[in-house]
Amino acid sequence: ALAAAAERGVVVMIATGRSEMATRPVLEDLGLRTPALVYNGAGLWCPERCDFLEERVLSERTLARAVDYGLTR
């Protein structure tokens, strides 16, 4: 179905909560060369470049607070 949609001009992309490492085999199996949204939308992975086109990471302050919270629970 994805191949048929792509043949009709639909841009097919994958969106997942998984990492780029877990998504790469899926993209390969499906034959998709379009970018994929990974990490619940925090990253846009490009299989052509094997790199992120865009990514959002936690600030140092937010990361420190999250780690602190985890250590106290």
Side-chain angles (χ1 to χ4, degrees):
L2 294 177
E7 286 175 9
R8 290 186 179 94
V10 175
V11 177
V12 177
M13 294 177 69
I14 298 296
T16 180
R18 296 184 179 270
S19 68
E20 80 282 359
M21 284 184 71
T23 306
R24 287 163 109 174
V26 175
L27 295 172
E28 289 172 14
D29 288 347
L30 295 173
L32 294 175
R33 303 305 300 159
T34 53
L37 282 169
V38 294
Y39 293 115
N40 289 320
L44 183 61
W45 175 257
C46 178
E48 292 286 327
R49 292 177 26 190
C50 289
D51 197 9
F52 283 98
L53 298 175
E54 182 72 35
E55 62 183 315
R56 301 290 179 193
V57 296
L58 296 176
S59 69
E60 291 293 326
R61 178 176 175 234
T62 301
L63 178 60
R65 291 171 67 191
V67 169
D68 216 25
Y69 178 83
L71 291 174
T72 61
R73 302 289 176 225

Short mmCIF file of all heavy atoms in Angstrom, two decimals:
data_model
loop_
_atom_site.label_atom_id
_atom_site.label_comp_id
_atom_site.label_asym_id
_atom_site.label_seq_id
_atom_site.Cartn_x
_atom_site.Cartn_y
_atom_site.Cartn_z
N ALA A 1 0.83 -1.19 0.00
CA ALA A 1 0.00 0.00 0.00
C ALA A 1 0.87 1.26 0.00
O ALA A 1 0.55 2.24 -0.66
CB ALA A 1 -0.94 -0.01 1.19
N LEU A 2 1.97 1.23 0.77
CA LEU A 2 2.86 2.39 0.81
C LEU A 2 3.52 2.61 -0.55
O LEU A 2 3.64 3.76 -1.00
CB LEU A 2 3.93 2.21 1.88
CG LEU A 2 3.45 2.18 3.33
CD1 LEU A 2 4.61 1.92 4.27
CD2 LEU A 2 2.73 3.45 3.70
N ALA A 3 3.95 1.54 -1.18
CA ALA A 3 4.57 1.65 -2.50
C ALA A 3 3.57 2.21 -3.52
O ALA A 3 3.91 3.05 -4.35
CB ALA A 3 5.11 0.31 -2.96
N ALA A 4 2.33 1.73 -3.44
CA ALA A 4 1.30 2.21 -4.36
C ALA A 4 1.03 3.70 -4.14
O ALA A 4 0.87 4.46 -5.10
CB ALA A 4 0.01 1.41 -4.18
N ALA A 5 1.00 4.12 -2.89
CA ALA A 5 0.79 5.53 -2.59
C ALA A 5 1.96 6.36 -3.13
O ALA A 5 1.75 7.42 -3.72
CB ALA A 5 0.64 5.73 -1.09
N ALA A 6 3.17 5.88 -2.92
CA ALA A 6 4.36 6.60 -3.41
C ALA A 6 4.34 6.70 -4.93
O ALA A 6 4.72 7.74 -5.49
CB ALA A 6 5.63 5.91 -2.92
N GLU A 7 3.91 5.65 -5.60
CA GLU A 7 3.82 5.68 -7.06
C GLU A 7 2.83 6.72 -7.55
O GLU A 7 2.97 7.23 -8.66
CB GLU A 7 3.43 4.29 -7.58
CG GLU A 7 4.54 3.28 -7.51
CD GLU A 7 4.08 1.88 -7.91
OE1 GLU A 7 2.94 1.74 -8.42
OE2 GLU A 7 4.86 0.94 -7.70
N ARG A 8 1.86 7.03 -6.73
CA ARG A 8 0.85 8.04 -7.09
C ARG A 8 1.29 9.45 -6.69
O ARG A 8 0.51 10.39 -6.78
CB ARG A 8 -0.48 7.69 -6.44
CG ARG A 8 -1.13 6.46 -7.06
CD ARG A 8 -2.52 6.25 -6.47
NE ARG A 8 -3.15 5.11 -7.07
CZ ARG A 8 -3.12 3.87 -6.56
NH1 ARG A 8 -2.48 3.63 -5.44
NH2 ARG A 8 -3.72 2.88 -7.18
N GLY A 9 2.50 9.57 -6.18
CA GLY A 9 3.02 10.89 -5.83
C GLY A 9 2.87 11.29 -4.38
O GLY A 9 3.21 12.41 -4.01
N VAL A 10 2.34 10.38 -3.57
CA VAL A 10 2.20 10.68 -2.14
C VAL A 10 3.58 10.55 -1.48
O VAL A 10 4.29 9.57 -1.71
CB VAL A 10 1.20 9.70 -1.46
CG1 VAL A 10 1.15 9.93 0.04
CG2 VAL A 10 -0.18 9.83 -2.09
N VAL A 11 3.95 11.53 -0.69
CA VAL A 11 5.21 11.45 0.05
C VAL A 11 4.94 10.63 1.31
O VAL A 11 4.15 11.03 2.17
CB VAL A 11 5.75 12.84 0.42
CG1 VAL A 11 7.02 12.72 1.25
CG2 VAL A 11 6.00 13.66 -0.83
N VAL A 12 5.58 9.48 1.40
CA VAL A 12 5.37 8.56 2.52
C VAL A 12 6.51 8.73 3.51
O VAL A 12 7.69 8.66 3.14
CB VAL A 12 5.31 7.10 2.02
CG1 VAL A 12 5.17 6.14 3.19
CG2 VAL A 12 4.18 6.92 1.02
N MET A 13 6.14 8.99 4.77
CA MET A 13 7.13 9.14 5.84
C MET A 13 6.68 8.31 7.04
O MET A 13 5.50 8.08 7.23
CB MET A 13 7.25 10.60 6.27
CG MET A 13 7.83 11.51 5.22
SD MET A 13 7.87 13.23 5.73
CE MET A 13 9.11 13.18 7.00
N ILE A 14 7.65 7.91 7.82
CA ILE A 14 7.38 7.16 9.05
C ILE A 14 7.49 8.11 10.23
O ILE A 14 8.40 8.95 10.28
CB ILE A 14 8.41 6.01 9.21
CG1 ILE A 14 8.31 5.02 8.07
CG2 ILE A 14 8.27 5.33 10.55
CD1 ILE A 14 6.99 4.27 7.99
N ALA A 15 6.59 7.97 11.20
CA ALA A 15 6.67 8.70 12.46
C ALA A 15 6.59 7.66 13.58
O ALA A 15 5.68 6.83 13.60
CB ALA A 15 5.53 9.70 12.58
N THR A 16 7.54 7.71 14.50
CA THR A 16 7.62 6.71 15.55
C THR A 16 8.22 7.28 16.82
O THR A 16 8.89 8.32 16.78
CB THR A 16 8.45 5.49 15.07
OG1 THR A 16 8.50 4.51 16.11
CG2 THR A 16 9.86 5.89 14.68
N GLY A 17 8.00 6.61 17.90
CA GLY A 17 8.62 6.98 19.16
C GLY A 17 9.98 6.36 19.33
O GLY A 17 10.71 6.66 20.26
N ARG A 18 10.34 5.50 18.42
CA ARG A 18 11.61 4.78 18.53
C ARG A 18 12.79 5.64 18.07
O ARG A 18 12.63 6.68 17.47
CB ARG A 18 11.54 3.50 17.71
CG ARG A 18 10.51 2.53 18.26
CD ARG A 18 10.52 1.23 17.51
NE ARG A 18 9.56 0.31 18.06
CZ ARG A 18 9.81 -0.56 19.03
NH1 ARG A 18 11.02 -0.62 19.56
NH2 ARG A 18 8.88 -1.37 19.47
N SER A 19 13.98 5.11 18.32
CA SER A 19 15.21 5.79 17.94
C SER A 19 15.48 5.63 16.44
O SER A 19 14.83 4.83 15.77
CB SER A 19 16.39 5.20 18.70
OG SER A 19 16.63 3.86 18.26
N GLU A 20 16.47 6.38 15.95
CA GLU A 20 16.85 6.22 14.54
C GLU A 20 17.44 4.84 14.30
O GLU A 20 17.26 4.26 13.23
CB GLU A 20 17.80 7.33 14.09
CG GLU A 20 19.25 7.19 14.47
CD GLU A 20 19.56 7.55 15.91
OE1 GLU A 20 18.67 7.94 16.68
OE2 GLU A 20 20.73 7.43 16.27
N MET A 21 18.14 4.29 15.28
CA MET A 21 18.73 2.95 15.12
C MET A 21 17.65 1.89 14.93
O MET A 21 17.80 0.99 14.11
CB MET A 21 19.60 2.60 16.33
CG MET A 21 20.95 3.30 16.32
SD MET A 21 22.00 2.77 17.69
CE MET A 21 22.38 1.12 17.16
N ALA A 22 16.57 2.01 15.68
CA ALA A 22 15.48 1.04 15.56
C ALA A 22 14.65 1.28 14.30
O ALA A 22 14.03 0.36 13.79
CB ALA A 22 14.58 1.12 16.80
N THR A 23 14.67 2.50 13.80
CA THR A 23 13.86 2.85 12.63
C THR A 23 14.55 2.53 11.32
O THR A 23 13.89 2.24 10.32
CB THR A 23 13.50 4.36 12.69
OG1 THR A 23 12.88 4.62 13.95
CG2 THR A 23 12.56 4.76 11.58
N ARG A 24 15.87 2.55 11.31
CA ARG A 24 16.62 2.31 10.07
C ARG A 24 16.23 1.00 9.37
O ARG A 24 15.98 1.01 8.16
CB ARG A 24 18.11 2.33 10.35
CG ARG A 24 18.65 3.71 10.62
CD ARG A 24 19.98 3.64 11.28
NE ARG A 24 21.02 4.08 10.36
CZ ARG A 24 22.27 4.22 10.73
NH1 ARG A 24 22.66 3.94 11.94
NH2 ARG A 24 23.16 4.64 9.86
N PRO A 25 16.15 -0.14 10.07
CA PRO A 25 15.77 -1.38 9.38
C PRO A 25 14.36 -1.32 8.79
O PRO A 25 14.11 -1.90 7.73
CB PRO A 25 15.86 -2.45 10.48
CG PRO A 25 16.66 -1.86 11.57
CD PRO A 25 16.51 -0.37 11.47
N VAL A 26 13.48 -0.62 9.46
CA VAL A 26 12.10 -0.49 8.95
C VAL A 26 12.11 0.31 7.65
O VAL A 26 11.46 -0.07 6.67
CB VAL A 26 11.19 0.18 10.00
CG1 VAL A 26 9.80 0.43 9.43
CG2 VAL A 26 11.12 -0.66 11.27
N LEU A 27 12.86 1.40 7.63
CA LEU A 27 12.96 2.20 6.41
C LEU A 27 13.55 1.38 5.27
O LEU A 27 13.07 1.45 4.13
CB LEU A 27 13.82 3.45 6.65
CG LEU A 27 13.26 4.47 7.63
CD1 LEU A 27 14.30 5.56 7.91
CD2 LEU A 27 11.99 5.08 7.12
N GLU A 28 14.57 0.59 5.59
CA GLU A 28 15.20 -0.26 4.57
C GLU A 28 14.22 -1.32 4.06
O GLU A 28 14.11 -1.52 2.85
CB GLU A 28 16.46 -0.90 5.13
CG GLU A 28 17.59 0.09 5.34
CD GLU A 28 18.77 -0.53 6.07
OE1 GLU A 28 18.85 -1.77 6.18
OE2 GLU A 28 19.63 0.25 6.54
N ASP A 29 13.51 -1.98 4.99
CA ASP A 29 12.56 -3.01 4.59
C ASP A 29 11.44 -2.45 3.70
O ASP A 29 10.99 -3.12 2.78
CB ASP A 29 11.92 -3.67 5.81
CG ASP A 29 12.88 -4.59 6.55
OD1 ASP A 29 13.96 -4.93 6.00
OD2 ASP A 29 12.56 -4.97 7.70
N LEU A 30 11.03 -1.22 4.00
CA LEU A 30 9.95 -0.59 3.23
C LEU A 30 10.47 0.10 1.97
O LEU A 30 9.69 0.56 1.14
CB LEU A 30 9.19 0.41 4.10
CG LEU A 30 8.42 -0.18 5.28
CD1 LEU A 30 7.85 0.93 6.14
CD2 LEU A 30 7.33 -1.12 4.81
N GLY A 31 11.78 0.23 1.86
CA GLY A 31 12.35 0.90 0.71
C GLY A 31 12.14 2.41 0.72
O GLY A 31 12.12 3.04 -0.33
N LEU A 32 11.99 2.98 1.91
CA LEU A 32 11.75 4.42 2.02
C LEU A 32 13.07 5.16 2.17
O LEU A 32 13.93 4.78 2.96
CB LEU A 32 10.86 4.72 3.23
CG LEU A 32 9.43 4.20 3.17
CD1 LEU A 32 8.71 4.47 4.48
CD2 LEU A 32 8.69 4.84 2.01
N ARG A 33 13.22 6.22 1.40
CA ARG A 33 14.41 7.07 1.48
C ARG A 33 14.05 8.47 1.99
O ARG A 33 14.88 9.36 2.03
CB ARG A 33 15.08 7.18 0.10
CG ARG A 33 15.49 5.86 -0.52
CD ARG A 33 16.38 5.00 0.35
NE ARG A 33 17.63 5.67 0.69
CZ ARG A 33 18.40 5.33 1.72
NH1 ARG A 33 18.06 4.34 2.50
NH2 ARG A 33 19.51 5.99 1.97
N THR A 34 12.79 8.65 2.38
CA THR A 34 12.33 9.93 2.92
C THR A 34 12.71 10.03 4.40
O THR A 34 12.88 9.00 5.06
CB THR A 34 10.81 10.07 2.78
OG1 THR A 34 10.18 8.91 3.34
CG2 THR A 34 10.39 10.22 1.33
N PRO A 35 12.84 11.25 4.92
CA PRO A 35 13.14 11.40 6.35
C PRO A 35 12.05 10.78 7.22
O PRO A 35 10.90 10.62 6.79
CB PRO A 35 13.20 12.91 6.54
CG PRO A 35 13.54 13.45 5.19
CD PRO A 35 12.84 12.53 4.23
N ALA A 36 12.43 10.42 8.43
CA ALA A 36 11.49 9.82 9.38
C ALA A 36 11.51 10.60 10.68
O ALA A 36 12.58 10.99 11.16
CB ALA A 36 11.88 8.37 9.64
N LEU A 37 10.32 10.82 11.25
CA LEU A 37 10.23 11.43 12.57
C LEU A 37 10.50 10.34 13.59
O LEU A 37 9.85 9.29 13.58
CB LEU A 37 8.84 12.01 12.81
CG LEU A 37 8.58 13.34 12.14
CD1 LEU A 37 7.11 13.68 12.22
CD2 LEU A 37 9.41 14.43 12.76
N VAL A 38 11.47 10.57 14.47
CA VAL A 38 11.84 9.58 15.49
C VAL A 38 11.80 10.23 16.87
O VAL A 38 11.63 11.43 16.99
CB VAL A 38 13.23 8.98 15.19
CG1 VAL A 38 13.21 8.18 13.90
CG2 VAL A 38 14.30 10.06 15.11
N TYR A 39 11.96 9.42 17.90
CA TYR A 39 11.95 9.92 19.28
C TYR A 39 10.69 10.75 19.57
O TYR A 39 10.77 11.84 20.12
CB TYR A 39 13.19 10.74 19.59
CG TYR A 39 14.48 9.97 19.59
CD1 TYR A 39 15.46 10.23 18.64
CD2 TYR A 39 14.73 8.98 20.54
CE1 TYR A 39 16.66 9.54 18.63
CE2 TYR A 39 15.92 8.28 20.54
CZ TYR A 39 16.88 8.56 19.59
OH TYR A 39 18.07 7.87 19.58
N ASN A 40 9.53 10.23 19.16
CA ASN A 40 8.25 10.92 19.38
C ASN A 40 8.25 12.34 18.83
O ASN A 40 7.66 13.25 19.41
CB ASN A 40 7.89 10.94 20.87
CG ASN A 40 7.50 9.58 21.37
OD1 ASN A 40 6.80 8.83 20.69
ND2 ASN A 40 7.95 9.22 22.57
N GLY A 41 8.91 12.54 17.71
CA GLY A 41 8.91 13.84 17.05
C GLY A 41 10.08 14.73 17.44
O GLY A 41 10.20 15.84 16.94
N ALA A 42 10.97 14.26 18.31
CA ALA A 42 12.10 15.09 18.74
C ALA A 42 13.23 15.09 17.72
O ALA A 42 14.15 15.90 17.82
CB ALA A 42 12.62 14.62 20.09
N GLY A 43 13.17 14.19 16.74
CA GLY A 43 14.23 14.15 15.73
C GLY A 43 13.67 13.85 14.35
O GLY A 43 12.66 13.16 14.21
N LEU A 44 14.32 14.40 13.34
CA LEU A 44 13.98 14.12 11.95
C LEU A 44 15.21 13.48 11.33
O LEU A 44 16.21 14.13 11.07
CB LEU A 44 13.60 15.41 11.21
CG LEU A 44 13.15 15.25 9.76
CD1 LEU A 44 11.90 14.38 9.67
CD2 LEU A 44 12.88 16.62 9.14
N TRP A 45 15.14 12.16 11.12
CA TRP A 45 16.26 11.35 10.65
C TRP A 45 16.22 11.21 9.14
O TRP A 45 15.19 10.89 8.56
CB TRP A 45 16.20 9.97 11.29
CG TRP A 45 17.24 9.04 10.78
CD1 TRP A 45 17.06 8.04 9.89
CD2 TRP A 45 18.63 9.04 11.10
NE1 TRP A 45 18.25 7.41 9.65
CE2 TRP A 45 19.24 8.01 10.37
CE3 TRP A 45 19.42 9.83 11.93
CZ2 TRP A 45 20.60 7.74 10.46
CZ3 TRP A 45 20.77 9.55 12.02
CH2 TRP A 45 21.34 8.51 11.29
N CYS A 46 17.37 11.47 8.51
CA CYS A 46 17.47 11.34 7.05
C CYS A 46 18.25 10.07 6.71
O CYS A 46 19.46 10.00 7.00
CB CYS A 46 18.17 12.55 6.46
SG CYS A 46 18.38 12.41 4.67
N PRO A 47 17.61 9.07 6.11
CA PRO A 47 18.33 7.85 5.75
C PRO A 47 19.33 8.05 4.62
O PRO A 47 20.28 7.29 4.49
CB PRO A 47 17.22 6.88 5.34
CG PRO A 47 16.08 7.75 4.93
CD PRO A 47 16.20 9.00 5.76
N GLU A 48 19.15 9.07 3.81
CA GLU A 48 20.09 9.36 2.72
C GLU A 48 21.43 9.85 3.27
O GLU A 48 22.48 9.45 2.79
CB GLU A 48 19.51 10.43 1.77
CG GLU A 48 18.31 9.97 0.98
CD GLU A 48 18.69 9.03 -0.14
OE1 GLU A 48 19.78 9.19 -0.71
OE2 GLU A 48 17.88 8.14 -0.45
N ARG A 49 21.38 10.71 4.26
CA ARG A 49 22.60 11.28 4.85
C ARG A 49 23.08 10.52 6.08
O ARG A 49 24.17 10.81 6.59
CB ARG A 49 22.34 12.74 5.25
CG ARG A 49 22.13 13.64 4.05
CD ARG A 49 21.82 15.08 4.39
NE ARG A 49 22.32 15.55 5.67
CZ ARG A 49 21.98 16.70 6.22
NH1 ARG A 49 21.15 17.51 5.60
NH2 ARG A 49 22.47 17.08 7.38
N CYS A 50 22.24 9.62 6.59
CA CYS A 50 22.52 8.92 7.86
C CYS A 50 22.83 9.93 8.96
O CYS A 50 23.82 9.81 9.69
CB CYS A 50 23.66 7.93 7.69
SG CYS A 50 23.20 6.51 6.71
N ASP A 51 21.95 10.92 9.06
CA ASP A 51 22.15 11.99 10.03
C ASP A 51 20.81 12.65 10.33
O ASP A 51 19.85 12.50 9.57
CB ASP A 51 23.11 13.03 9.45
CG ASP A 51 23.70 13.96 10.49
OD1 ASP A 51 23.51 13.71 11.70
OD2 ASP A 51 24.35 14.94 10.10
N PHE A 52 20.78 13.39 11.43
CA PHE A 52 19.57 14.13 11.77
C PHE A 52 19.51 15.42 10.96
O PHE A 52 20.49 16.14 10.85
CB PHE A 52 19.54 14.48 13.27
CG PHE A 52 19.17 13.32 14.13
CD1 PHE A 52 20.16 12.58 14.76
CD2 PHE A 52 17.85 12.96 14.30
CE1 PHE A 52 19.83 11.50 15.55
CE2 PHE A 52 17.51 11.88 15.09
CZ PHE A 52 18.49 11.15 15.72
N LEU A 53 18.34 15.70 10.41
CA LEU A 53 18.11 16.98 9.75
C LEU A 53 17.73 18.02 10.80
O LEU A 53 18.00 19.20 10.64
CB LEU A 53 16.99 16.86 8.72
CG LEU A 53 17.24 15.89 7.57
CD1 LEU A 53 16.00 15.78 6.70
CD2 LEU A 53 18.44 16.32 6.76
N GLU A 54 17.10 17.55 11.85
CA GLU A 54 16.65 18.42 12.94
C GLU A 54 16.51 17.56 14.18
O GLU A 54 16.11 16.41 14.11
CB GLU A 54 15.30 19.05 12.59
CG GLU A 54 14.74 20.00 13.61
CD GLU A 54 15.48 21.33 13.67
OE1 GLU A 54 15.94 21.81 12.63
OE2 GLU A 54 15.60 21.87 14.78
N GLU A 55 16.86 18.12 15.34
CA GLU A 55 16.63 17.41 16.60
C GLU A 55 16.46 18.40 17.73
O GLU A 55 17.02 19.48 17.71
CB GLU A 55 17.74 16.41 16.91
CG GLU A 55 19.10 17.00 17.10
CD GLU A 55 20.16 15.95 17.34
OE1 GLU A 55 19.94 15.03 18.14
OE2 GLU A 55 21.23 16.06 16.72
N ARG A 56 15.64 18.01 18.67
CA ARG A 56 15.38 18.84 19.85
C ARG A 56 15.85 18.06 21.07
O ARG A 56 15.39 16.96 21.31
CB ARG A 56 13.89 19.15 20.00
CG ARG A 56 13.30 19.87 18.82
CD ARG A 56 13.82 21.27 18.77
NE ARG A 56 13.25 21.95 17.61
CZ ARG A 56 13.70 23.08 17.16
NH1 ARG A 56 14.70 23.68 17.75
NH2 ARG A 56 13.17 23.64 16.12
N VAL A 57 16.76 18.62 21.78
CA VAL A 57 17.29 17.97 22.98
C VAL A 57 16.94 18.79 24.21
O VAL A 57 16.65 19.99 24.11
CB VAL A 57 18.82 17.75 22.88
CG1 VAL A 57 19.16 16.81 21.74
CG2 VAL A 57 19.54 19.07 22.70
N LEU A 58 16.99 18.17 25.36
CA LEU A 58 16.70 18.86 26.61
C LEU A 58 17.81 19.84 26.94
O LEU A 58 18.99 19.56 26.70
CB LEU A 58 16.57 17.86 27.75
CG LEU A 58 15.43 16.85 27.66
CD1 LEU A 58 15.52 15.87 28.83
CD2 LEU A 58 14.09 17.54 27.65
N SER A 59 17.44 20.96 27.50
CA SER A 59 18.45 21.91 27.97
C SER A 59 19.19 21.29 29.15
O SER A 59 18.71 20.35 29.78
CB SER A 59 17.79 23.23 28.39
OG SER A 59 17.03 23.01 29.57
N GLU A 60 20.36 21.82 29.45
CA GLU A 60 21.14 21.32 30.60
C GLU A 60 20.32 21.41 31.89
O GLU A 60 20.33 20.50 32.70
CB GLU A 60 22.44 22.09 30.73
CG GLU A 60 23.44 21.82 29.62
CD GLU A 60 23.98 20.39 29.64
OE1 GLU A 60 24.13 19.81 30.73
OE2 GLU A 60 24.24 19.86 28.55
N ARG A 61 19.61 22.51 32.05
CA ARG A 61 18.80 22.71 33.25
C ARG A 61 17.68 21.67 33.36
O ARG A 61 17.49 21.06 34.40
CB ARG A 61 18.20 24.12 33.24
CG ARG A 61 17.32 24.41 34.42
CD ARG A 61 16.84 25.86 34.39
NE ARG A 61 15.91 26.07 35.47
CZ ARG A 61 14.69 26.56 35.31
NH1 ARG A 61 14.27 26.92 34.11
NH2 ARG A 61 13.90 26.72 36.34
N THR A 62 16.98 21.45 32.27
CA THR A 62 15.89 20.47 32.29
C THR A 62 16.42 19.07 32.49
O THR A 62 15.84 18.28 33.25
CB THR A 62 15.08 20.56 30.98
OG1 THR A 62 14.55 21.88 30.86
CG2 THR A 62 13.95 19.56 30.95
N LEU A 63 17.52 18.74 31.85
CA LEU A 63 18.13 17.43 32.02
C LEU A 63 18.55 17.22 33.47
O LEU A 63 18.28 16.15 34.05
CB LEU A 63 19.33 17.27 31.09
CG LEU A 63 20.08 15.95 31.19
CD1 LEU A 63 19.17 14.78 30.87
CD2 LEU A 63 21.29 15.96 30.27
N ALA A 64 19.18 18.20 34.06
CA ALA A 64 19.61 18.09 35.46
C ALA A 64 18.41 17.89 36.38
O ALA A 64 18.45 17.06 37.30
CB ALA A 64 20.39 19.34 35.87
N ARG A 65 17.34 18.60 36.13
CA ARG A 65 16.13 18.46 36.95
C ARG A 65 15.51 17.07 36.78
O ARG A 65 15.06 16.46 37.74
CB ARG A 65 15.11 19.55 36.59
CG ARG A 65 15.59 20.92 37.05
CD ARG A 65 14.74 22.04 36.52
NE ARG A 65 13.40 21.99 37.10
CZ ARG A 65 12.39 22.74 36.66
NH1 ARG A 65 12.56 23.57 35.65
NH2 ARG A 65 11.22 22.65 37.23
N ALA A 66 15.51 16.55 35.57
CA ALA A 66 14.96 15.21 35.32
C ALA A 66 15.80 14.13 36.01
O ALA A 66 15.26 13.22 36.62
CB ALA A 66 14.86 14.95 33.82
N VAL A 67 17.11 14.26 35.93
CA VAL A 67 17.99 13.30 36.58
C VAL A 67 17.83 13.38 38.09
O VAL A 67 17.71 12.37 38.78
CB VAL A 67 19.48 13.54 36.17
CG1 VAL A 67 20.42 12.74 37.05
CG2 VAL A 67 19.67 13.19 34.70
N ASP A 68 17.77 14.59 38.61
CA ASP A 68 17.56 14.81 40.04
C ASP A 68 16.26 14.15 40.50
O ASP A 68 16.22 13.47 41.52
CB ASP A 68 17.53 16.31 40.31
CG ASP A 68 18.15 16.69 41.62
OD1 ASP A 68 19.02 15.93 42.09
OD2 ASP A 68 17.79 17.77 42.14
N TYR A 69 15.22 14.36 39.73
CA TYR A 69 13.91 13.78 40.06
C TYR A 69 14.02 12.24 40.08
O TYR A 69 13.53 11.60 40.99
CB TYR A 69 12.87 14.23 39.04
CG TYR A 69 11.50 13.63 39.28
CD1 TYR A 69 10.64 14.19 40.21
CD2 TYR A 69 11.08 12.48 38.59
CE1 TYR A 69 9.40 13.64 40.44
CE2 TYR A 69 9.84 11.93 38.81
CZ TYR A 69 8.99 12.52 39.75
OH TYR A 69 7.77 11.96 39.97
N GLY A 70 14.65 11.68 39.07
CA GLY A 70 14.79 10.22 39.00
C GLY A 70 15.60 9.66 40.15
O GLY A 70 15.31 8.57 40.65
N LEU A 71 16.61 10.36 40.57
CA LEU A 71 17.46 9.88 41.66
C LEU A 71 16.78 9.94 43.01
O LEU A 71 17.13 9.20 43.92
CB LEU A 71 18.77 10.67 41.70
CG LEU A 71 19.71 10.45 40.53
CD1 LEU A 71 20.90 11.40 40.61
CD2 LEU A 71 20.18 9.00 40.48
N THR A 72 15.79 10.83 43.16
CA THR A 72 15.11 10.97 44.45
C THR A 72 13.85 10.13 44.56
O THR A 72 13.19 10.14 45.57
CB THR A 72 14.76 12.45 44.72
OG1 THR A 72 13.87 12.91 43.69
CG2 THR A 72 15.99 13.31 44.77
N ARG A 73 13.53 9.40 43.53
CA ARG A 73 12.29 8.57 43.55
C ARG A 73 12.61 7.14 43.76
O ARG A 73 13.34 6.44 43.43
CB ARG A 73 11.48 8.74 42.27
CG ARG A 73 11.07 10.16 42.02
CD ARG A 73 10.01 10.61 43.00
NE ARG A 73 9.72 12.02 42.76
CZ ARG A 73 9.62 12.89 43.75
NH1 ARG A 73 9.78 12.57 44.97
NH2 ARG A 73 9.33 14.14 43.48
#
